[in-house]
Amino acid sequence: MNSKTLSLFILMACTAFSAFSDTSDPLLRLNTEMHTAPIRAIDTDAEYRFVLTAGDDRVARLWDAASGRLLKILRPFIGEGNDGRLYSCALSPDGTEAVVGGWTGPSGDKSLYFFNTASGSLTHRIDGFKDVINCLKYSDNGRYLAAGLGGSNGVSVISLRNHSVYKQLDGYSAQVKGLSFFSDGRLAVVSYDGGVRLYDRQFGLVKKVQLDKESSPRGVAVSPDDSRIAIAYYNSSKVEVYDGMSLRLLYTADSDGIDENDGMVNVAWSSDGRYLYAGGRYSKSFDGKWWRVVRRWDNQGRGIYEDFPGSGNTIWGLVSLNNGNLLVAGHRPDWARINNAGEQSLYREGMILSFRPKSFDKDMLLNPDASKVTFKPMSVDPMTFSISELSLTEGSFEGNAFRSQVGGITVTDWDNGENPRINGTLVEGFSKSELCRSVSVSPDGDTVILGTGWYLRAYNAEAELLWKIPSPGENWAVNCSADGKTVVVGLGDGTLRWYRLSDGKELLNLFVHSDCKRWVLWTPSGYYACSPSGEDLIGWHINHGRDRSADFFSASRFSERFYRPDVVALMLETLDEDQAITRANRQRNIRTTNASIASILPPVLAILSPSEGATHSSSTIQLRYSVRTPNNDPVQEVRAMVNGRPVETSRGLKLVASGSSGTEQSINISLMPGENYISLMAKNSTSWSDPATVMVKYQERQQSFVAKPKLYILAVGVSDYANPDYRLNYAAKDARDFAATMKAQEGGIYEDVEIRLLTDKDATQDNVFDGLDWIRGQATARDVAMIFVAGHGINDNSGRLYYLTHEADVDRLRRTSVAADEFTQTIQSIPGKVLYFMDTCHSGGVNIASRRGINSVDMTGIINELSSAESGAVVFASSSGKQYSLEDASWGNGAFTKALIEGLKGGADYTGSGKITINMLDLYISERVKELTRGQQTPTTAKPDTVPDYPVAVNE
């Protein structure tokens, strides 16, 4: 791809999550910890405390440099089309300010956005830039910021004393792509017009040298001693070194083995000036995996070279660090820290699945109504998603593949071409450089679907356009359903989407996380179904104009209204969202509110101090935070949590008045020895805010004796129900075996293990309530509480989940069973660590749910509620989706409990450390249950992001 083609691609591509018709409306967006689109820029502060990344997903992310933990997501305004895509970012030398730019505004009026890194809030905006902002660089003294612009608009130098343009550097005939300051304040610039320019400390032009214009100079870096300037090219493998005063070519680095068209794109010097680094499109295999390469030359670029793995795709950013390490940012998206040995000592990769390979076309298979789809992303085994069962499973089924020829219709010249033909007739209307990526002909031969990099297009047999819709990514695969009603598309943003074939109306979106466990499926209005822990994968972006930070609220904040698996399941049947809502409401005998998202927003909270990773010698710390609440809805409560569990605070909360804009308050928190992940959440009448979290360390001045925690267990299991139709074989035994397994941990990781065991006739509604009161009253902040339940679970007609106690009557659930929210309320009130083991989806000898007109039990809602940040429990569930939990005489337990006990007794000790943590137990149970049940049962674990991994058992 040459520079002209790249510019057109950047101009035309729509990588937004959805088309933005009204930028004041809430916008549904993907929400993963990592970027969901290419990272275009990376930077760090002088002390290497933070890493800042920015990309095409229209946000910047601030990371802790040492651990790679995400600290803040910086959200500028998102407008229509490409408005909001970020091509550049920079951190001030002191790390207090972050600035981002790119396609940040309408035509002819782009903006720079400045953010405070402590609060994440927007502090300044400079507008009036005539084209996109390609690159940004702070001067070493922090007095100036240089911005390289698109078109022929040169460089704008910003004075940071008053955040205004200090000087405009003109005389360019093409866009500026590279900037680098000398330590004495001079500036070096490279441009696609082929020039390298040198400016003095007052930004007067000192010298310009014409380079190879066709090679498109893109990267520039000044050596630490100011004596040399290294330059890399977009369309060439060469890396050249010039004199820092005269701009005389000194030498060219060894490009052996690099194809001449594989541009190295970026350059950087090591902090001591010994090494020269470059990276771009050059790739090679390391241990069987292909990487874009970072090449390092010794002797200031004149010596021998070494190649290291850098990024999974084109390297767009290189930043040298004072400790000899290197930061790399790439297109995958990913970013890494590379140490002196060339190893990735830290690597963060995007959490989206890639549908890019051509083989994906052949592997996307549909059942007749497209309610079931098999897909195979890059480097992942085939997976099947079922809308009717709301399940994601491994493997494929025998479905229908796409066809480029049906009856009398044949599509040719479509594969990555600009000129596809239908029955020999050229398809007109393609934009320049718009490549066709996929094709599918409808079963009746009346409609041809073409997926391109920018649009999804529909044509008739005469190659006449029927409809076209802009795409949020490359349409790598399309397939029409056999019933002729829908078309399914695999896109470059990692989503699968269902559209109505007749007019291109969007029906459903599916996003599967790269862990191949979490997923969310949603309608255009935001009604969704999801896996456990999947509801936070999407959320609502709220603009507040260009002079304020945008807000973001994860979908879980609105679950009571929008978690509607019943609506989602009806979408392909009705092919209309309004009809699906009406039918689902009628079946549940409910009404939905017409209130807008903007009218039911929760508070927004930010921690201002202490700083991330700070070490304290006192057991109490003061947190300073800001909180604001929209829509005249005052804050009612602020909850503090340490390592995911609620803590007592030393003073009460001063409620924030309605309409407040960032009122600052403070609160004192007691710390535990070691790392403390402190989270704050605020609640108004609508819901809880998303948590704000900071990690601080408490280092005691004098090591004191630390008592082991106590373990409190409530274990409930019912096999012998009063109604013999409900009978199970091993639920009661499961509870007894789990209790005995954990009792054996007494004296090891736990000082004492106290158990209340309720099985069969003892597991009555009253006794279960008493057990919940007991464990709530016993466990302290230093203890661990575990609740284990095995038996039947059932949803009532409104979707409320109940655990069936011994005397259960499915026609009198409220009087004879225990509602799941009773467990939730108990868990929320326990101050210590809480683990909840749920084995409550047994079918037994009779399908109880079907007797009541309910298809099956859906556990996802309660799992997400229990594992939400405000509840803070770690939940282990025996099955996912609408699966049943299985038991077998050969196991002597249910499959879940058998795997759980094996894991606790040492099977999950993968590292041989003698400690079994939550994550280890999760992995063991997941794999073992699938092995025992031959894939019929898929357990799931949900852990809030606010809860760190910790040991739950020892293997002695």
Side-chain angles (χ1 to χ4, degrees), residues 477-517:
V478 298
N479 197 353
C480 296
S481 63
D483 65 6
K485 295 181 179 180
T486 57
V487 56
V488 183
V489 184
L491 290 115
D493 67 349
T495 61
L496 286 173
R497 304 196 179 206
W498 283 254
Y499 297 92
R500 197 161 58 197
L501 183 61
S502 61
D503 58 4
K505 175 70 174 179
E506 184 179 289
L507 300 172
L508 288 170
N509 300 265
L510 172 68
F511 177 75
V512 178
H513 191 278
S514 60
D515 63 14
C516 299
K517 293 180 180 179

Side-chain angles (χ1 to χ4, degrees), residues 367-663:
N367 70 342
D369 66 354
S371 64
K372 194 173 184 180
V373 55
T374 282
F375 55 101
K376 185 187 180 304
M378 183 187 298
S379 304
V380 175
D381 291 333
M383 293 179 287
T384 296
F385 188 84
S386 170
I387 295 175
S388 57
E389 298 178 2
L390 294 176
S391 66
L392 177 70
T393 55
E394 296 177 354
S396 60
F397 72 100
E398 295 297 324
N400 299 314
F402 86 101
R403 291 186 289 177
S404 60
Q405 181 177 356
V406 174
I409 289 188
T410 301
V411 184
T412 58
D413 303 325
W414 62 270
D415 193 1
N416 292 317
E418 298 182 30
N419 302 296
R421 297 176 181 270
I422 300 175
N423 289 343
T425 301
L426 179 66
V427 174
E428 298 182 352
F430 270 47
S431 303
K432 186 174 178 60
S433 301
E434 181 183 358
L435 301 180
C436 185
R437 301 297 194 183
S438 53
V439 64
S440 185
V441 182
S442 63
D444 57 13
D446 287 345
T447 308
V448 175
I449 302 295
L450 300 179
T452 78
W454 305 331
Y455 295 99
L456 187 67
R457 297 169 169 270
Y459 295 86
N460 61 19
E462 288 73 41
E464 297 170 332
L465 182 67
L466 301 176
W467 51 262
K468 75 172 184 177
I469 55 174
S471 293
E474 301 261 0
N475 293 283
W476 290 113
V478 298
N479 197 353
C480 296
S481 63
D483 65 6
K485 295 181 179 180
T486 57
V487 56
V488 183
V489 184
L491 290 115
D493 67 349
T495 61
L496 286 173
R497 304 196 179 206
W498 283 254
Y499 297 92
R500 197 161 58 197
L501 183 61
S502 61
D503 58 4
K505 175 70 174 179
E506 184 179 289
L507 300 172
L508 288 170
N509 300 265
L510 172 68
F511 177 75
V512 178
H513 191 278
S514 60
D515 63 14
C516 299
K517 293 180 180 179
R518 286 175 285 170
W519 56 265
V520 58
L521 178 71
W522 69 98
T523 70
S525 295
Y527 294 100
Y528 68 92
C530 64
S531 68
S533 301
E535 61 185 346
D536 286 335
L537 295 174
I538 58 170
W540 297 92
H541 173 104
I542 311 290
N543 282 322
H544 297 299
R546 294 190 183 274
D547 292 311
R548 282 183 56 194
S549 305
D551 286 328
F552 185 89
F553 304 95
S554 58
S556 62
R557 302 302 98 193
F558 312 98
S559 59
E560 185 174 348
R561 173 176 171 186
F562 284 101
Y563 178 68
R564 294 294 302 272
D566 52 346
V567 173
V568 171
L570 288 169
M571 285 296 294
L572 295 189
E573 185 178 338
T574 62
L575 299 178
D576 182 88
E577 187 176 20
D578 289 339
Q579 291 184 33
I581 295 169
T582 300
R583 283 183 53 179
N585 288 350
R586 188 183 304 123
Q587 291 172 5
R588 291 177 58 179
N589 193 28
I590 61 172
R591 289 178 135 184
T592 53
T593 175
N594 291 323
S596 68
I597 284 287
S599 68
I600 56 172
L601 298 178
V604 179
L605 190 148
I607 296 175
L608 305 178
S609 66
S611 60
E612 175 72 16
T615 298
H616 296 264
S617 57
S618 171
S619 62
T620 301
I621 189 172
Q622 185 180 75
L623 252 70
R624 192 167 59 88
Y625 65 94
S626 68
V627 62
R628 55 185 168 84
T629 180
N631 305 325
N632 298 315
D633 191 358
V635 168
Q636 300 174 349
E637 180 183 351
V638 169
R639 179 174 295 176
M641 309 181 86
V642 174
N643 297 329
R645 300 306 304 155
V647 296
E648 293 294 331
T649 58
S650 64
R651 68 173 183 82
L653 165 71
K654 177 183 176 183
L655 298 184
V656 178
S658 61
S660 175
S661 57
T663 300

Side-chain angles (χ1 to χ4, degrees), residues 338 523 654 664 676 748:
I338 298 177
T523 70
K654 177 183 176 183
E664 291 191 13
N676 292 257

Side-chain angles (χ1 to χ4, degrees), residues 698-726:
Y698 169 36
Q699 184 173 325
E700 295 175 295
R701 290 191 179 93
Q702 183 175 357
Q703 189 67 33
S704 59
F705 171 75
V706 179
K708 294 180 180 179
K710 292 183 179 180
L711 172 62
Y712 295 91
I713 296 176
L714 174 63
V716 186
V718 184
S719 297
D720 184 15
Y721 286 90
N723 186 334
D725 287 345
Y726 304 167

Side-chain angles (χ1 to χ4, degrees), residues 121-439:
S121 61
L122 182 68
T123 58
H124 301 89
R125 181 175 72 92
I126 305 175
D127 59 7
F129 298 98
K130 296 180 181 179
D131 212 315
V132 297
I133 301 161
N134 289 320
C135 47
L136 292 165
K137 193 70 174 178
Y138 278 93
S139 61
D140 290 356
N141 59 17
R143 293 179 57 190
Y144 297 104
L145 174 75
L149 307 180
S152 57
N153 295 286
V155 178
S156 294
V157 179
I158 312 300
S159 170
L160 297 174
R161 291 178 178 175
N162 54 12
H163 288 87
S164 63
V165 176
Y166 170 75
K167 195 166 187 179
Q168 184 66 35
L169 310 182
D170 296 319
Y172 292 78
S173 59
Q175 57 186 321
V176 170
K177 284 290 191 175
L179 301 162
S180 185
F181 274 98
F182 292 76
S183 61
D184 62 6
R186 291 177 295 146
L187 178 66
V189 182
V190 294
S191 166
Y192 277 0
D193 66 9
V196 54
R197 293 165 171 85
L198 179 62
Y199 295 88
D200 62 24
R201 289 190 293 270
Q202 287 74 45
F203 304 104
L205 181 63
V206 175
K207 193 174 186 64
K208 174 190 172 184
V209 171
Q210 188 67 25
L211 308 176
D212 181 4
K213 182 177 180 180
E214 292 301 314
S215 294
S216 303
R218 190 189 186 280
V220 60
V222 175
S223 63
D225 64 0
D226 291 346
S227 66
R228 293 170 174 81
I229 301 173
I231 296 175
Y233 296 84
Y234 186 80
N235 290 319
S236 173
S237 62
K238 62 188 175 185
V239 174
E240 299 172 331
V241 178
Y242 289 80
D243 181 78
M245 294 296 291
S246 67
L247 295 185
R248 176 176 59 88
L249 177 63
L250 300 177
Y251 48 89
T252 300
D254 188 348
S255 60
D256 179 55
I258 307 176
D259 186 278
E260 63 180 10
N261 294 317
D262 281 345
M264 291 304 277
V265 182
N266 285 284
V267 285
W269 296 91
S270 62
S271 57
D272 60 5
R274 173 183 174 184
Y275 295 109
L276 176 63
Y277 300 92
R281 296 195 301 277
Y282 169 47
S283 63
K284 65 189 296 186
S285 177
F286 295 87
D287 297 326
K289 183 177 180 181
W290 283 90
W291 292 88
R292 294 298 195 271
V293 168
V294 171
R295 176 163 286 190
R296 182 179 74 181
W297 294 271
D298 200 353
N299 194 19
Q300 300 174 322
R302 291 170 294 194
I304 61 174
Y305 66 82
E306 296 176 90
D307 288 342
F308 308 131
S311 169
N313 208 326
T314 303
I315 294 172
W316 293 121
L318 289 178
V319 177
S320 182
L321 306 176
N322 289 337
N323 57 8
N325 291 348
L326 185 76
L327 292 177
V328 181
H331 193 93
R332 178 174 285 271
D334 55 2
W335 70 271
R337 180 179 65 227
I338 298 177
N339 62 24
N340 283 321
E343 302 164 332
Q344 292 176 333
S345 57
L346 179 64
Y347 183 67
R348 299 302 307 264
E349 185 177 15
M351 298 170 179
I352 62 175
L353 296 173
S354 174
F355 298 145
R356 185 182 182 95
K358 294 180 183 178
S359 62
F360 177 73
D361 289 1
K362 303 178 181 65
D363 292 328
M364 190 170 76
L365 309 175
L366 305 177
N367 70 342
D369 66 354
S371 64
K372 194 173 184 180
V373 55
T374 282
F375 55 101
K376 185 187 180 304
M378 183 187 298
S379 304
V380 175
D381 291 333
M383 293 179 287
T384 296
F385 188 84
S386 170
I387 295 175
S388 57
E389 298 178 2
L390 294 176
S391 66
L392 177 70
T393 55
E394 296 177 354
S396 60
F397 72 100
E398 295 297 324
N400 299 314
F402 86 101
R403 291 186 289 177
S404 60
Q405 181 177 356
V406 174
I409 289 188
T410 301
V411 184
T412 58
D413 303 325
W414 62 270
D415 193 1
N416 292 317
E418 298 182 30
N419 302 296
R421 297 176 181 270
I422 300 175
N423 289 343
T425 301
L426 179 66
V427 174
E428 298 182 352
F430 270 47
S431 303
K432 186 174 178 60
S433 301
E434 181 183 358
L435 301 180
C436 185
R437 301 297 194 183
S438 53
V439 64

Side-chain angles (χ1 to χ4, degrees), residues 756 758 761-774 805-807 814-818:
R756 182 163 291 193
L758 303 173
K761 293 181 181 180
D762 291 331
T764 63
Q765 184 189 58
D766 284 345
N767 285 345
V768 172
F769 278 124
D770 287 343
L772 293 173
D773 289 340
W774 168 79
T805 52
H806 170 72
E807 73 274 35
R814 292 181 62 188
R815 294 179 176 86
T816 64
S817 301
V818 179

